[in-house]
Amino acid sequence: METRMCYGILVLFMFATKCSFGVEKYWLPDLEWRTAKNWLGNRVPEIDSHVVFPLQTRHAVGMADSGDLRLAGIDLARSGSLILPRDCNLQLSEPGKSPLKISRWVREGHFFWADPGNWNGTSVAAPHLEQVPCRQDDIVLPRRDRAFSVLLPMKSIEVRSIRTSGEKRPLTSWQWTDLESRREFSRGISTVKYAEYSCGKCPCQNDPNGYYLEEICAISRPKCGFTPCEFPLTVEGHCCQYCGGRLSLSSEASLPMVRAAAGEALEGYADRIAWHVRRKWDGSAEVLIKEKGDYAGIDILEAVENMKKTLLSMKIQVLSTEAAGAALKDHRLVAILVPLFGTPLIILGLAFLGFMSVGYSSRQILSSFAEIFLSIRDGIRVDKGQRVKSFGFARFENIPEGNVQIAEAASVQKAASDVDGPGEATSGGRFENPLYRSKRKHGEEKDILDMGAVLSLSTLRDKVEDRMEEMEVDIDQ
């Protein structure tokens, strides 16, 4: 009886240890030829298609499983590889008269082991460092008949076990060493190793200088985007500002008990809230809570309060609680557009006030601005090659006092030819300005002074004044 009890306690302890530290993390990238999302337009290449791979394709591509594949041509990348099954034949057909069908591979570059987006099996509330494999995790790679390509980390890390999908047993240490030396793993030295021992209070990886974390953040930090909370938290191992809640616990807290408390306290928020229990680098424990969708803040406050009450009811000490505050909206686009369009308006307003202060009226200023705008618009049209049509207004008068009359042009030309003779060219004479009519008669020639008459000072003054008045009248017209 005692033996059975001890065995049961041992099994429960082993199960609790696995739940505490062991998490299965799956490799996500699918590099198969038949996967539609790998091709531009989600269209898998058809027969006699021309396949184009980007020049920076630095990974492996798995060709069709079986059968013959006939293509019009393939544009290969500078690096990478095509994996063909043993029973597949690749043929290149001669170009025909039919239109060429082009299929483009959309994936580029390496697939990094240190990229959190390439792994599944961790809560979204976990920091970036713990979304990639930790030393307590079990790694699941694609099956051996699937295309696989990964760039191993530069820093040596540890995992608990590695197996391929479809197999129950993990690879042994020497099997993993042999597999890691193959072409699918792009790294000169072995950087992923098996952990030699299990450590209950050890961090995710032994990274005292932060080199591995910096490698992760170099990939994740450009994806951070806008921080949608008022008071973001700083979380160990996370590359961005953290919008969520946190409960800090003592180092004596048992992670299995904390996980059980979290499952009970946050059961009603399962569709809206994600949580993660972790061991910090100093040995203490903490609970991270994050919303699955857009950050709102209200659910975070309620979840943190419920979690705190549950932990206290289980006699687990809670050192502090934090929340990221109210939600914020992304106004970056407005912040860019306001200076762009507001600055010219402010300059125009200041110029308007400056012109008014020196004595110009508002009508004069507005008309000047309108002329400037029209001249700039016409200049832009000319630069773009558009034809600018000029518009003008003119008034013509047919008056009898001019030397040329428009209505009687034929009769005038005939009279002039009779005078000049049939062999001589006619002279049209002076053309009267239609917009200007002088009050003087053109045939009248008045002498200003009569040199034969008696000249007096008063007569000379009257003559000069009359002449000046006539000149002023001519100028006004």
Side-chain angles (χ1 to χ4, degrees):
M1 184 70 180
E2 292 180 357
T3 304
R4 291 183 178 179
M5 184 177 297
C6 293
Y7 179 78
I9 294 174
L10 180 61
V11 171
L12 291 175
F13 177 77
M14 292 176 63
F15 178 77
T17 304
K18 181 174 179 61
C19 294
S20 301
F21 309 116
V23 177
E24 283 192 340
K25 294 182 179 178
Y26 295 81
W27 180 256
L28 292 179
D30 184 357
L31 304 179
E32 293 298 319
W33 180 282
R34 64 178 179 270
T35 303
K37 65 180 181 180
N38 291 334
W39 300 96
L40 184 64
N42 294 329
R43 298 181 60 181
V44 179
E46 302 175 357
I47 297 177
D48 295 332
S49 297
H50 188 94
V51 177
V52 178
F53 290 98
L55 293 178
Q56 301 301 325
T57 304
R58 302 180 182 274
H59 52 265
V61 178
M63 301 287 284
D65 290 341
S66 60
D68 296 336
L69 184 62
R70 190 178 68 188
L71 300 175
I74 301 179
D75 291 351
L76 297 176
R78 294 176 179 174
S79 61
S81 58
L82 294 177
I83 303 176
L84 279 76
R86 296 180 179 179
D87 56 349
C88 176
N89 294 323
L90 177 61
Q91 299 178 358
L92 297 179
S93 61
E94 297 181 359
K97 297 181 180 180
S98 60
L100 191 63
K101 295 175 291 186
I102 299 178
S103 299
R104 297 184 182 275
W105 184 265
V106 296
R107 293 179 177 268
E108 295 186 23
H110 292 289
F111 288 90
F112 296 91
W113 179 285
D115 186 359
N118 292 335
W119 297 98
N120 186 24
T122 309
S123 170
V124 296
H128 291 120
L129 179 62
E130 299 183 23
Q131 292 180 19
V132 297
C134 295
R135 64 186 303 169
Q136 302 89 1
D137 296 337
D138 301 311
I139 310 306
V140 181
L141 300 179
R143 301 194 310 264
R144 294 181 181 272
D145 60 345
R146 300 292 298 273
F148 176 72
S149 181
V150 59
L151 182 64
L152 297 177
M154 301 177 63
K155 171 77 167 53
S156 295
I157 64 169
E158 295 180 345
V159 297
R160 190 168 70 172
S161 67
I162 299 175
R163 67 180 178 89
T164 58
S165 179
E167 297 183 0
K168 297 182 179 180
R169 286 188 175 185
L171 300 173
T172 61
S173 178
W174 65 268
Q175 287 177 332
W176 166 241
T177 302
D178 179 67
L179 180 64
E180 192 180 10
S181 61
R182 297 184 180 180
R183 185 185 298 271
E184 290 85 356
F185 298 88
S186 303
R187 181 62 66 193
I189 59 176
S190 176
T191 56
V192 179
K193 302 178 180 179
Y194 277 15
E196 297 180 357
Y197 59 92
S198 177
C199 180
K201 292 188 177 181
C202 292
C204 175
Q205 293 291 346
N206 185 19
D207 187 30
N209 297 322
Y211 294 146
Y212 185 50
L213 177 60
E214 184 58 32
E215 184 178 354
I216 297 172
C217 290
I219 302 172
S220 301
R221 194 177 291 119
K223 306 175 185 177
C224 290
F226 176 72
T227 304
C229 55
E230 186 177 7
F231 304 108
L233 308 179
T234 301
V235 177
E236 289 179 350
H238 200 63
C239 304
C240 310
Q241 295 294 321
Y242 195 90
C243 289
R246 173 167 56 192
L247 292 92
S248 298
L249 313 177
S250 62
S251 58
E252 288 78 14
S254 173
L255 296 188
M257 294 185 63
V258 174
R259 288 193 178 95
E264 179 182 352
L266 305 178
E267 183 179 2
Y269 302 90
D271 57 337
R272 308 188 305 273
I273 293 294
W275 53 270
H276 179 71
V277 179
R278 64 183 295 265
R279 184 73 66 180
K280 297 176 63 176
W281 297 342
D282 59 0
S284 61
E286 70 175 3
V287 182
L288 298 175
I289 302 175
K290 193 173 185 180
E291 291 178 287
K292 293 182 179 180
D294 296 335
Y295 179 81
I298 299 177
D299 290 337
I300 295 294
L301 294 175
E302 295 179 357
V304 169
E305 188 63 25
N306 291 342
M307 186 68 191
K308 180 179 179 181
K309 291 179 180 179
T310 304
L311 291 175
L312 293 178
S313 65
M314 298 177 65
K315 307 301 181 181
I316 299 177
Q317 184 181 5
V318 179
L319 301 180
S320 62
T321 60
E322 295 177 89
L328 299 179
K329 293 184 179 180
D330 190 358
H331 298 293
R332 290 177 296 177
L333 181 61
V334 177
I336 295 174
L337 294 179
V338 168
L340 182 62
F341 293 100
T343 303
L345 295 178
I346 294 175
I347 294 175
L348 290 176
L350 295 176
F352 186 84
L353 295 177
F355 287 132
M356 291 191 65
S357 63
V358 296
Y360 290 95
S361 64
S362 59
R363 181 177 297 178
Q364 292 175 333
I365 298 174
L366 294 176
S367 63
S368 300
F369 284 168
E371 292 178 359
I372 295 173
F373 173 75
L374 291 176
S375 63
I376 294 174
R377 184 190 63 181
D378 294 340
I380 294 175
R381 288 182 178 179
V382 172
D383 293 340
K384 290 183 178 181
Q386 299 179 0
R387 184 178 179 182
V388 181
K389 297 181 179 180
S390 59
F391 175 78
F393 178 80
R395 179 172 61 89
F396 296 92
E397 291 185 73
N398 188 13
I399 55 176
E401 62 186 51
N403 292 338
V404 178
Q405 298 182 9
I406 297 176
E408 302 177 1
S411 60
V412 172
Q413 183 177 2
K414 182 178 180 181
S417 62
D418 294 339
V419 174
D420 298 335
E424 298 181 4
T426 60
S427 59
R430 184 174 58 85
F431 189 87
E432 184 86 13
N433 187 356
L435 303 181
Y436 171 73
R437 295 183 60 184
S438 176
K439 293 183 179 180
R440 297 178 296 150
K441 299 298 182 181
H442 295 285
E444 298 179 359
E445 294 294 338
K446 296 182 180 180
D447 296 333
I448 299 177
L449 297 176
D450 187 3
M451 302 305 297
V454 180
L455 183 63
S456 63
L457 183 60
S458 60
T459 303
L460 179 60
R461 182 184 62 188
D462 295 338
K463 293 290 185 178
V464 172
E465 289 178 356
D466 293 341
R467 184 62 177 172
M468 293 298 293
E469 290 178 0
E470 292 177 1
M471 294 178 63
E472 291 178 359
V473 171
D474 293 341
I475 292 174
D476 292 338
Q477 295 180 352

